[in-house]
Amino acid sequence: MSAPIDWRQRAAALTLNGQAFVGGRYVPSRSGETFECINPATGQVLVAVAACDQADVDHAVAVARAAFVSGVWSRMAPRERKKRLKAFADLIARHTEELALLETLDMGKPIRDSLAVDLPLSAQCIDWYAEAIDKIYDEIAPTPPTAISLIRREPLGVVAAVVPWNFPLLMAAWKLGPILAAGNSVILKPAEQSSLTAIRLGALASEAGIPDGVFNVLPGFGETAGRALGLHMDVDAVAFTGSTEVGKYFLQYSGQSNMKRVGLECGGKSPNIILADAPDLDEAATAAAWGIFYNQGEVCNAGSRLIVEASVKDRIVEKVIEVGSAI
């Protein structure tokens, strides 16, 4: 049986990188400005992170556009693009412990969750889209014999992916998988509270053979880097996960610029409803407890309201407290 991992020792030996990743290499922000990346569990400053702004966005978009137009990725043979994207997924899996530790230090989730949930699901997501590359076909529309209508699936261009702080790597994977599989260039803007895994992905993408300029990472604040991406005339689409308030901003930015496509996954909360005739009240209460306390309660669809029939209220509350205390 292998010895348990000393995660504190691993953390002390970890090399942290806070730079942006543009054009296949790590670079400081063009202004030289940084902000502190803080471990929320301890208050310790982990590393200074590049505070990217309009100048960085302009540069990254130009680099991403040049890569797209060159066809180095957008016109790569599907089989080859699949091979490289699968290599990217494999590298994420091979670096599970490092990335899980970065995730835990950066946003405070237990290392067991980073290891057992965030990392394997991230690698699986990228791998799934890689496998889809040579399996999703174009179409011929049903037309009369005298006509032909073809439906082609083509990459869009430069896509900005803006992700939240609570599942930094997993939310990035959900966006990077389809964006890259389709042949687009991407600019990943992580939340300022949790940028470290996104930054590390830059080197892994390059190692996997994703060409320079196709995969870029710009850490920074929403009101600077995020806004600049939303308003940029040469960004073709924004994929955003986060609050409803900020989602509305991206819709406005689209209308104020080039009417870029906007895909939104905005947070919302739902109640759990438990009635007295539920088949297993303990199971229902356990599910309700995990629904609000999982990931420290930092889940966009956390069940933050619990509606319970009066006759079983005390039993449900007691069980939720029991389960919550164990978590």
Side-chain angles (χ1 to χ4, degrees), residues 91 103 136 141 165 175 187 204 216 221 241 243 259 294 297 314:
L91 282 168
E103 205 80 318
I136 296 178
W165 53 268
K175 291 174 172 38
I187 299 171
L204 296 182
N216 307 279
F221 295 96
T241 296
S243 70
M259 293 187 69
Y294 177 69
D314 292 343

Side-chain angles (χ1 to χ4, degrees), residues 67-274:
F68 180 77
V69 171
S70 75
V72 67
W73 183 253
S74 59
R75 294 194 297 274
M76 181 181 285
R79 183 176 181 180
E80 181 63 24
R81 196 159 69 239
K82 168 186 171 179
K83 176 183 174 182
R84 299 188 189 198
L85 201 56
K86 283 184 69 68
F88 185 33
D90 289 342
L91 282 168
I92 292 172
R94 280 167 45 194
H95 288 265
T96 286
E97 291 181 1
E98 176 195 0
L99 291 167
L101 184 54
L102 286 175
E103 205 80 318
T104 289
L105 291 172
D106 206 5
M107 64 80 51
K109 68 175 65 197
I111 188 66
R112 67 173 182 270
D113 290 351
S114 299
L115 279 172
V117 180
D118 299 56
L119 261 298
L121 290 180
S122 297
Q124 289 168 24
C125 177
I126 299 292
D127 187 69
W128 191 95
Y129 282 102
E131 284 288 357
I133 288 175
D134 59 2
K135 297 176 180 64
I136 296 178
Y137 286 71
D138 296 327
E139 300 175 33
I140 299 177
T143 56
T146 55
I148 185 169
S149 176
L150 303 178
I151 299 171
R152 292 293 309 277
R153 293 183 172 87
E154 298 178 344
L156 188 62
V158 177
V159 182
V162 182
V163 299
W165 53 268
N166 56 340
F167 290 91
L169 184 60
L170 184 56
M171 297 294 101
W174 287 6
K175 291 174 172 38
L176 294 173
I179 289 169
L180 291 171
N184 298 290
S185 295
V186 65
I187 299 171
L188 174 61
K189 209 297 278 183
E192 57 268 26
Q193 299 91 339
S194 51
S195 304
L196 298 185
T197 49
I199 291 170
R200 183 68 178 99
L201 285 183
L204 296 182
S206 184
E207 184 179 345
I210 296 176
D212 294 349
V214 171
F215 184 99
N216 307 279
V217 183
L218 290 184
F221 295 96
E223 59 268 29
T224 49
R227 183 175 184 273
L229 286 166
L231 287 169
H232 204 287
M233 293 294 291
D234 206 25
V235 171
D236 298 297
V238 170
F240 169 77
T241 296
S243 70
T244 302
E245 177 187 6
V246 176
K248 290 178 180 179
Y249 286 144
F250 278 108
L251 290 174
Q252 294 174 34
Y253 298 154
S254 173
Q256 292 164 9
S257 56
N258 58 343
M259 293 187 69
K260 58 178 61 65
R261 301 183 192 187
V262 180
L264 302 178
E265 181 197 0
C266 295
K269 298 177 184 287
S270 304
N272 286 283
I273 303 172
I274 302 177

Side-chain angles (χ1 to χ4, degrees), residues 16-19 35-38 44-49 196:
L16 302 178
N17 185 353
Q19 291 188 306
F35 61 91
E36 292 181 342
C37 173
I38 296 173
Q44 174 193 2
V45 176
L46 296 170
V47 69
V49 176
L196 298 185

Side-chain angles (χ1 to χ4, degrees), residues 288-299 302 320-321 323-325 327:
W290 277 101
I292 185 60
F293 293 129
Y294 177 69
N295 203 52
Q296 307 78 249
E298 298 161 356
V299 181
V320 168
I321 290 172
V323 175
S325 299
I327 296 174

